[in-house]
Amino acid sequence: MARSGPPRIVLTHWVHDEVLEYLGSHGEVIPNPNRTSLLRQELLERARLAEALMAFMPDRVDETLLGCCPRLKIVAGAFKGADNVDLETCSRRGIWVSIVPDLLTGPTAELAVGLLLSLIRKIVPGDAVVRSAAFSGWRPILYGGTLQEKSVGILGMGLLGQAIARRLRGFDVELRYSDPRRLDPERERELGARHASFEELLESSDALILAAPLTQQTFHKFDRAALATLRPWSVLVNVGRGSVVDEEAVADALSRGALGGYASDVFEMEDLSRPDRPRGIPEALLQYGERTVFTPHLGSAVDATRREIEMVAARNIVDVLEGRRPRDGVNLPVVPVGL
């Protein structure tokens, strides 16, 4: 299985020049110079002789791909959640999987608050009014809500949920959170957040921010039944994973006036771990311009942050190529390839 020459490192997406230079000093880099995803067949062909693969969120690292890569030692994810990677098959084949644990947290928390403010203060439709020929100055339109003294719930209180809570403290809100793992009392006091059951979160929140990963337990957590429990003026903001909500159910709730608004940076169609994932955003959901705000997965879209995310993935690759355990590994290969 050995191959002469330097180890081959395949990058599935565009990365910064500094990352290319760093990896180039440790192996033969096969980059993707374009800002678009590789076609599936092209990815399979490029990865065939790879010892290392730097993967991104749009990549599906499944048994088919892994079966084409007999020399592969590591899948280094430039992402936090590895639900698009078949961890079990990687472990069985002796392949390390690494992630980027924390760099996405701050920028994503900022975006969550920005989406919430954009939604309740009607910033996007307000921008459209100003750009229209009809705008001639102030008039009483687009009255929205406020965060002050409102109840805000957070689903998922990991690093992201806590970062969101810290950023909301200055808005004078009542914070609740729901998570299977309760924070210790000191951390709750520090964040100004009270633990609540999921049912209490639904019943008591004027705004809900979803910061949960996609698991069997969180899949379609916000289905028709959960949405029916919300206050009709409540708004949802999703920066976790698209499939934590049922987008068709959200569209239906908006159409019936049972939900005040929905903002999201993530969508069901992106969740590659789902064999039944939809191929697009429901048309019905896109119709509610004044009550929805959507962004194209901008959570970590900060240039310096993306550069460091790529560099963390690159360091994990070099760890394995030099015979070490990757510092951000999330699995335990049965017999690591080459180690």
Side-chain angles (χ1 to χ4, degrees), residues 7-284:
R8 177 172 292 184
I9 305 166
V10 173
L11 312 181
T12 67
H13 283 259
W14 179 92
V15 300
H16 289 77
D17 289 342
E18 297 95 319
V19 181
L20 289 176
E21 292 171 7
Y22 173 70
L23 287 174
S25 65
H26 293 86
E28 176 192 1
V29 178
I30 311 299
N32 177 4
N34 303 310
R35 301 274 182 147
T36 54
S37 300
L38 294 173
L39 295 176
R40 177 69 170 179
Q41 191 56 44
E42 187 176 6
L43 173 57
L44 293 175
E45 181 60 30
R46 290 190 182 199
R48 189 171 57 86
L49 298 177
E51 278 88 359
L53 181 72
M54 185 184 295
F56 292 74
M57 186 181 168
D59 300 316
R60 187 172 74 255
V61 183
D62 56 11
E63 193 157 8
T64 300
L65 172 60
L66 296 168
C68 296
C69 310
R71 297 182 173 87
L72 193 61
K73 298 178 180 179
I74 178 171
V75 175
F79 42 65
K80 182 177 181 179
D83 47 273
N84 59 326
V85 178
D86 186 338
L87 291 174
E88 182 180 345
T89 300
C90 284
S91 296
R92 189 175 68 248
R93 289 180 172 272
I95 300 168
W96 291 102
V97 178
S98 67
I99 61 168
V100 179
D102 194 27
L103 290 172
L104 296 78
T105 301
T108 304
E110 291 176 355
L111 183 67
V113 176
L115 286 172
L116 177 57
L117 290 171
S118 294
L119 190 61
I120 65 174
R121 295 308 308 269
K122 301 186 181 298
I123 290 174
V124 174
D127 176 85
V129 168
V130 172
R131 295 176 189 277
S132 71
F135 180 67
S136 59
W138 179 90
R139 56 193 174 96
I141 59 170
L142 296 176
Y143 283 13
T146 178
L147 279 179
Q148 187 173 1
E149 298 181 354
K150 292 297 190 295
S151 175
V152 178
I154 300 175
L155 178 70
M157 207 58 161
L159 293 174
L160 177 57
Q162 292 177 51
I164 293 169
R166 284 193 293 271
R167 285 156 177 78
L168 285 172
R169 290 209 64 179
F171 287 93
D172 191 21
V173 299
E174 181 182 2
L175 274 177
R176 294 181 178 87
Y177 75 95
S178 180
D179 194 289
R181 298 178 63 180
R182 182 171 181 173
L183 300 176
D184 63 63
E186 184 178 348
R187 180 58 59 86
E188 287 186 345
R189 286 192 294 272
E190 174 193 332
L191 297 173
R194 181 171 67 81
H195 185 263
S197 68
F198 180 60
E199 291 72 22
E200 182 183 352
L201 211 66
L202 294 175
E203 294 169 355
S204 64
S205 298
D206 299 302
L208 263 164
I209 300 178
L210 315 186
L214 180 58
T215 66
Q216 290 183 346
Q217 290 70 40
T218 62
F219 173 73
H220 280 189
K221 186 81 168 175
F222 282 81
D223 55 11
R224 294 179 189 276
L227 292 168
T229 308
L230 292 172
R231 301 170 176 181
W233 61 84
S234 295
V235 298
L236 289 181
V237 175
N238 190 2
V239 292
R241 278 290 188 265
S243 296
V244 174
V245 307
D246 179 341
E247 291 174 344
E248 295 281 3
V250 169
D252 179 64
L254 288 169
S255 73
R256 295 183 291 102
L259 181 64
Y262 181 63
S264 188
D265 188 47
V266 291
F267 304 94
E268 289 195 74
M269 68 176 186
E270 297 176 309
D271 294 327
L272 300 180
S273 59
R274 287 182 55 186
D276 63 338
R277 68 187 176 98
R279 297 307 181 211
I281 301 169
E283 284 295 327

